[in-house]
């Protein structure tokens, strides 16, 4: 789809970003996924080519261009290539605004040049083991002592957590003041008492280092307080529209890539002597997928335009994030169905894209009863298999939601169940083939092949 929001300069930048991805990310990404961390060298190369700190003023080594479309292009190009583990987005789109808007001149001189060169990798630490998204439940505490704060606590699910050199930590500085008692402290690599725990073993985004962090009597200089004391919670709310928008942009780019994967597969995969793209059901399915992706693109571009004008609301950004991520999930499910059993194989891109009940029970019993009586139960068995597989998947998906971030860690049983139930929908026969069977044998519709 023509992205009218982007000028010739933006498209030239996109070509450069795509070339960077192809040269410096694509050849190494499988290796990074196995290592569960990105090599720091790609950060240094990104800094050399101007992909870090585009909005940072030139006097600090940045690009001096606050046009957020350039940030979006980098996110879209990495998402389109299915390289979701690259932490540039967090660095550029989430951490950078805190440093640009809250840092003192001395802090900017100290941190921003290396931020832009890739020598200094950043993270933000909000989530704690017992709080999840409940930011007001944060227990990490910072107590003033002379010329520094003494920081104690722990964080989890921290993106860039292993590689990070500078971490913005959300901590209580005055527990009696509730939401007015949180502050942002910048913890730097090498500070005594600052330790990194596990690089968490996740279902997807394997190249992204997502870590546990702990702080034991860390002496954080008062010069590392970011913004005003007690205003941390307000600062966290300040950038939510942009943070949600960039996730939406990433999801739409991924959705568009999924559609392209399915188109390519439908043209090359043959069944019954012809490409599966010639089957009416598949043609309709892919047309619907492409239409939904295009609608999402139009919505995201509208939100981006509003953001450039300073008019994007938290409500619109939330809608964009919800709609785009739900669509990405829907399309990847449909894509796996289209690929059949191959959609469950990691060698196929659609599988990587994915890596990121009562009715069923009744149908199973009915099929079993007919089978025991020696009667034909083909239709009932197919219905039972389809419904049971869908119910199993829905249950696993709902359960993993209740586990929050812990459902993404391989040490929890639900993570394994989540992956295994996906297989039930595509093997030994996919849901789409079952639907074709039912259309012919139950509904009396003509064969599509």
């Amino acid at each position: 789809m023509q992205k009218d929001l982007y000028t010739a300069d933006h498209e030239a930048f996109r070509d450069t970003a795509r070339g960077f991805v192809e040269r410096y990310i694509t050849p190494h990404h499988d290796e990074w996924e196995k290592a569960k961390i990105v090599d720091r060298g790609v950060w240094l190369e990104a800094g050399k080519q101007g992909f870090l700190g585009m909005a940072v003023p030139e006097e600090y080594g940045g690009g001096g261009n606050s046009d957020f479309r350039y940030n979006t292009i980098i996110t879209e190009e990495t998402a389109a290539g299915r390289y979701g583990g690259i932490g540039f987005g967090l660095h550029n789109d989430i951490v950078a605004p805190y440093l640009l808007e809250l840092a003192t001149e001395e802090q900017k001189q100290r941190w921003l040049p290396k931020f832009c060169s890739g020598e200094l990798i950043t993270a933000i630490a909000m989530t704690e083991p017992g709080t999840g998204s409940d930011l007001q439940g944060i227990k990490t505490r910072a107590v003033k002592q002379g010329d520094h704060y003494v920081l104690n606590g722990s964080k989890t699910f921290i993106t860039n957590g292993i590689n990070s050199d500078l971490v913005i930590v959300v901590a209580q500085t005055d527990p009696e003041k509730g939401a007015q008692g949180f502050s942002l402290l910048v913890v730097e690599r090498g500070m005594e008492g600052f330790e990194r725990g596990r690089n968490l073993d996740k279902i997807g985004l394997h190249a992204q280092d997502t870590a546990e962090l702990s702080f034991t009597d860390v002496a954080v200089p008062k010069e590392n307080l970011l913004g005003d004391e007690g205003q941390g919670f307000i600062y966290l709310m300040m950038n939510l529209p942009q943070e949600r928008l960039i996730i939406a942009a990433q999801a739409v780019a991924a959705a568009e890539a999924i559609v392209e994967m399915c188109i390519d597969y439908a043209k090359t995969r043959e069944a019954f002597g012809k490409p599966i793209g010639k089957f009416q059901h598949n043609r309709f399915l892919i047309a619907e997928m492409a239409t939904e992706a295009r609608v999402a693109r139009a919505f995201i571009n509208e939100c981006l335009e509003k953001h450039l004008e300073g008019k994007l609301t938290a409500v619109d950004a939330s809608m964009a994030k919800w709609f785009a991520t739900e669509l990405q999930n829907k399309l990847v499910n449909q894509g796996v169905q289209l690929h059949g059993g191959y959609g469950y194989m990691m060698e196929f891109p659609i599988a990587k894209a994915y890596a990121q009940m009562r009715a069923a029970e009744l149908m199973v019993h009915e099929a079993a009863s007919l089978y025991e009586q020696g009667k034909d139960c083909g239709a009932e068995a197919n219905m039972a298999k389809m419904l049971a597989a869908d119910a199993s998947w829905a249950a696993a998906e709902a359960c993993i939601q209740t586990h929050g971030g812990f459902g993404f860690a391989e040490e929890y049983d639900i993570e394994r169940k989540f992956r295994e139930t996906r297989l039930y929908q595509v093997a030994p026969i996919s849901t789409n083939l079952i639907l074709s069977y039912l259309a012919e044998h139950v509904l009396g519709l003509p064969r599509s092949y």
Side-chain angles (χ1 to χ4, degrees):
M1 179 181 181
Q2 178 65 35
K3 303 177 179 69
D4 296 329
L5 189 61
Y6 297 95
T7 67
D9 287 342
H10 292 112
E11 293 305 333
F13 181 80
R14 185 185 298 279
D15 289 340
T16 304
R18 188 170 296 158
F20 172 84
V21 170
E22 291 173 353
R23 182 174 180 183
Y24 295 102
I25 296 178
T26 302
H28 309 291
H29 197 260
D30 286 346
E31 177 185 336
W32 295 340
E33 286 205 318
K34 291 176 183 175
K36 300 191 183 300
I37 194 167
V38 169
D39 188 279
R40 291 180 67 98
V42 75
W43 285 83
L44 296 174
E45 191 59 43
K48 288 179 186 177
Q49 298 200 26
F51 296 131
L52 302 178
M54 289 88 67
V56 174
E58 292 181 3
E59 59 262 36
Y60 304 114
N65 192 337
S66 60
D67 185 342
F68 196 68
R69 284 172 288 191
Y70 290 102
N71 297 53
T72 305
I73 287 169
I74 292 176
T75 294
E76 288 180 344
E77 291 306 311
T78 53
R82 301 174 303 282
Y83 305 128
I86 311 299
F88 297 164
L90 177 81
H91 190 77
N92 283 328
D93 309 324
I94 296 179
V95 174
Y98 287 100
L99 299 180
L100 291 174
E101 296 168 22
L102 303 177
T104 65
E105 181 60 28
E106 184 275 332
Q107 289 173 334
K108 289 178 180 178
Q109 294 283 356
R110 184 156 42 114
W111 296 323
L112 289 180
K114 290 185 177 181
F115 178 99
C116 298
S117 70
E119 297 172 84
L120 186 151
I121 299 173
T122 61
I124 184 164
M126 293 184 265
T127 305
E128 298 184 357
T131 62
S133 59
D134 178 16
L135 295 180
Q136 293 196 53
I138 286 173
K139 303 299 182 186
T140 297
R141 180 81 187 276
V143 180
K144 278 185 185 178
Q145 284 189 10
D147 61 354
H148 63 273
Y149 292 88
V150 177
L151 181 67
N152 284 281
S154 61
K155 302 289 183 178
T156 192
F157 307 144
I158 308 306
T159 301
N160 294 346
I162 300 296
N163 269 334
S164 58
D165 306 288
L166 181 152
V167 183
I168 298 174
V169 179
V170 185
Q172 282 188 349
T173 46
D174 191 343
E176 303 300 320
K177 291 186 178 180
Q180 301 296 315
F182 294 97
S183 302
L184 305 182
L185 295 175
V186 177
V187 176
E188 300 179 68
R189 180 183 290 275
M191 286 185 172
E192 188 175 352
F194 170 34
E195 296 181 353
R196 300 159 208 271
R198 297 175 300 157
N199 186 355
L200 298 171
D201 200 5
K202 309 181 299 295
I203 297 174
L205 300 177
H206 290 151
Q208 182 185 90
D209 54 311
T210 308
E212 298 171 325
L213 306 180
S214 66
F215 311 94
T216 306
D217 293 331
V218 180
V220 182
K222 285 185 178 179
E223 291 78 17
N224 280 27
L225 174 68
L226 193 60
D228 296 326
E229 186 175 299
Q231 297 300 299
F233 194 76
I234 294 173
Y235 295 148
L236 293 176
M237 300 298 106
M238 188 170 60
N239 293 312
L240 281 179
Q242 178 169 298
E243 294 170 10
R244 289 168 178 164
L245 175 61
I246 201 64
I247 294 173
Q250 177 178 307
V252 168
E256 291 170 335
I258 290 165
V259 173
E260 290 302 317
M261 288 178 219
C262 292
I263 292 173
D264 291 343
Y265 187 76
K267 289 178 178 178
T268 58
R269 173 78 164 101
E270 291 195 356
F272 305 104
K274 59 183 177 181
I276 64 170
K278 287 192 173 183
F279 298 140
Q280 188 180 66
H281 171 80
N282 294 336
R283 294 164 66 87
F284 286 0
L285 174 67
I286 297 173
E288 289 171 0
M289 294 169 70
T291 301
E292 290 176 314
R294 184 164 294 195
V295 169
R297 166 59 63 188
F299 182 30
I300 297 310
N301 280 2
E302 179 185 343
C303 289
L304 179 54
E305 192 168 16
K306 286 183 179 180
H307 184 56
L308 294 172
E309 297 170 354
K311 298 178 181 178
L312 181 65
T313 66
V315 172
D316 284 343
S318 298
M319 288 180 177
K321 176 183 179 293
W322 173 82
F323 181 77
T325 53
E326 286 294 306
L327 178 63
Q328 180 187 1
N329 186 56
K330 175 184 176 181
L331 295 191
V332 78
N333 274 310
Q334 292 175 327
V336 169
Q337 285 287 339
L338 181 73
H339 282 66
Y342 289 110
Y344 202 65
M345 301 297 114
M346 291 303 292
E347 64 194 82
F348 281 77
I350 191 66
K352 289 189 177 181
Y354 184 82
Q356 257 206 25
M357 308 271 144
R358 291 174 178 80
E361 185 177 5
L362 289 173
M363 189 57 69
V364 168
H365 286 314
E366 181 177 350
S369 176
L370 289 171
Y371 179 78
E372 289 175 353
Q373 297 173 47
K375 297 179 180 178
D376 179 17
C377 62
E380 289 78 8
N382 275 281
M383 290 178 179
K385 189 270 180 186
M386 180 178 67
L387 290 173
D390 288 348
S392 176
W393 165 248
E397 188 172 34
C399 190
I400 208 168
Q401 289 283 346
T402 63
H403 279 68
F406 292 107
F408 208 54
E410 290 188 345
E411 65 195 74
Y412 284 80
D413 288 342
I414 185 59
E415 182 274 337
R416 177 172 53 81
K417 292 296 184 186
F418 180 78
R419 285 185 287 112
E420 291 177 349
T421 55
R422 190 67 188 89
L423 177 61
Y424 303 154
Q425 292 183 310
V426 297
I429 182 171
S430 72
T431 297
N432 282 347
L433 287 176
I434 288 176
L435 289 172
S436 295
Y437 173 91
L438 294 174
E440 178 184 352
H441 293 276
V442 178
L443 302 180
L445 296 175
R447 296 181 71 174
S448 57
Y449 53 90

